């Protein structure tokens, strides 16, 4: 017998799960996390609430599974030969996610849900690990080309580049625009080239 919440490929079980997961994401796009319930998700999905309770048991479990697939989407890592254009393209890719209703809902759900749910907190760590991997690849290539100082910390770079975008989404609730993405990438690059994010002592100084 399958464990609660698991889905066998095909058939009615898969269709119900797809409908419920989509409803959960739609709920996140329209309502605060605290206002969402198993009942509201079930009603939106057109599924009886007892079916949802039987298969997922709790709101955190259901939402964590709904977010798992959506949050696992990888952003393409550009490789144009220039760290400036690579990071601007990456920042714009993040901006495109945050400016869409579903992307904003997924991000907000991960952050807010992670405060009270260990399952969602785990997904949040995976989410950020994916973002860090993308930044790390670009930074490592740029260091190898002499475009950034050796020892530049990718995590510090990621925080500096992305923080303004998430601030607008989560704090000021303003639209996240391409101009914001470009500014975040440019500011982070200027700081990196000045050696602000350098963690090792073997750097020859600011990059040209």
């Amino acid at each position: 017998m399958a464990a609660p919440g698991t889905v066998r490929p095909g058939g009615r079980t898969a269709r119900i799960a797809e409908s419920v997961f989509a409803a959960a994401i739609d709920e996140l796009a329209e309502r605060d996390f605290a206002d969402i319930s198993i009942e509201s998700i079930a009603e939106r999905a057109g599924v009886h609430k007892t079916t949802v309770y039987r298969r997922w048991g709790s709101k955190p479990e259901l939402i964590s599974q709904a977010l798992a697939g959506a949050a696992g989407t990888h952003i393409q890592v550009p490789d144009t030969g220039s760290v400036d254009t690579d990071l601007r393209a990456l920042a714009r890719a993040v901006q495109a996610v945050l400016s869409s209703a579903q992307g904003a809902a997924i991000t907000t759900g991960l952050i807010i849900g992670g405060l009270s749910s260990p399952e969602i907190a785990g997904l949040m760590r995976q989410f950020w690990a994916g973002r860090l991997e993308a930044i790390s690849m670009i930074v490592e290539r740029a260091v190898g080309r002499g475009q950034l100082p050796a020892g530049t910390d990718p995590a510090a770079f990621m925080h500096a580049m992305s923080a303004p975008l998430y601030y607008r989404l989560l704090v000021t609730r303003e639209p996240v625009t391409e101009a914001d993405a470009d500014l975040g990438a440019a500011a982070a690059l200027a700081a990196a080239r000045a050696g602000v994010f350098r963690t090792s002592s073997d750097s020859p100084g600011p990059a040209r």
Side-chain angles (χ1 to χ4, degrees):
M1 180 177 178
T6 58
V7 181
R8 294 173 183 153
R12 182 171 179 271
T13 298
R15 290 194 297 272
I16 289 175
E18 183 179 354
S19 176
V20 170
F21 290 166
I25 297 298
D26 288 343
E27 283 284 283
L28 286 168
E30 296 179 10
R31 308 174 68 178
D32 290 337
F33 186 87
D35 295 332
I36 299 170
S37 65
I38 289 284
E39 288 77 8
S40 67
I41 294 171
E43 182 178 358
R44 182 183 285 266
V47 176
H48 199 281
K49 65 181 181 180
T50 56
T51 299
V52 180
Y53 274 113
R54 184 172 64 251
R55 293 186 176 172
W56 289 280
S58 68
K59 181 176 82 170
E61 175 64 21
L62 168 55
I63 290 182
S64 68
Q65 289 196 31
L67 288 171
T73 302
H74 294 290
I75 288 179
Q76 294 295 317
V77 182
D79 185 8
T80 65
S82 166
V83 67
D84 297 77
T85 52
D86 284 351
L87 284 163
R88 184 167 61 248
L90 182 65
R92 286 188 176 191
V94 173
Q95 175 270 329
V97 171
L98 297 184
S99 62
S100 70
Q102 187 179 77
I106 292 167
T107 303
T108 304
L110 283 168
I111 293 172
I112 297 177
L115 297 175
S116 58
S117 166
E119 296 88 353
I120 297 177
L123 287 173
M124 190 64 191
R125 287 190 291 272
Q126 295 175 28
F127 176 84
W128 284 117
R131 296 292 183 266
L132 179 57
E133 181 181 8
I135 285 282
S136 296
M137 292 173 64
I138 293 174
V139 169
E140 288 169 8
R141 289 195 298 251
V143 169
R145 293 191 294 255
Q147 296 173 345
L148 289 178
T152 297
D153 181 8
F157 196 114
M158 177 182 72
H159 297 158
M161 185 186 80
S162 59
L165 307 183
Y166 287 92
Y167 183 87
R168 292 179 71 89
L169 172 70
L170 299 167
V171 179
T172 62
R173 301 295 182 95
E174 297 173 272
V176 185
T177 68
E178 282 193 351
D180 299 318
D182 293 349
L183 181 60
L189 270 170
R193 286 185 167 128
V196 172
F197 306 139
R198 186 165 55 87
T199 58
S200 64
S201 59
D202 59 355
S203 171
R208 59 183 180 274

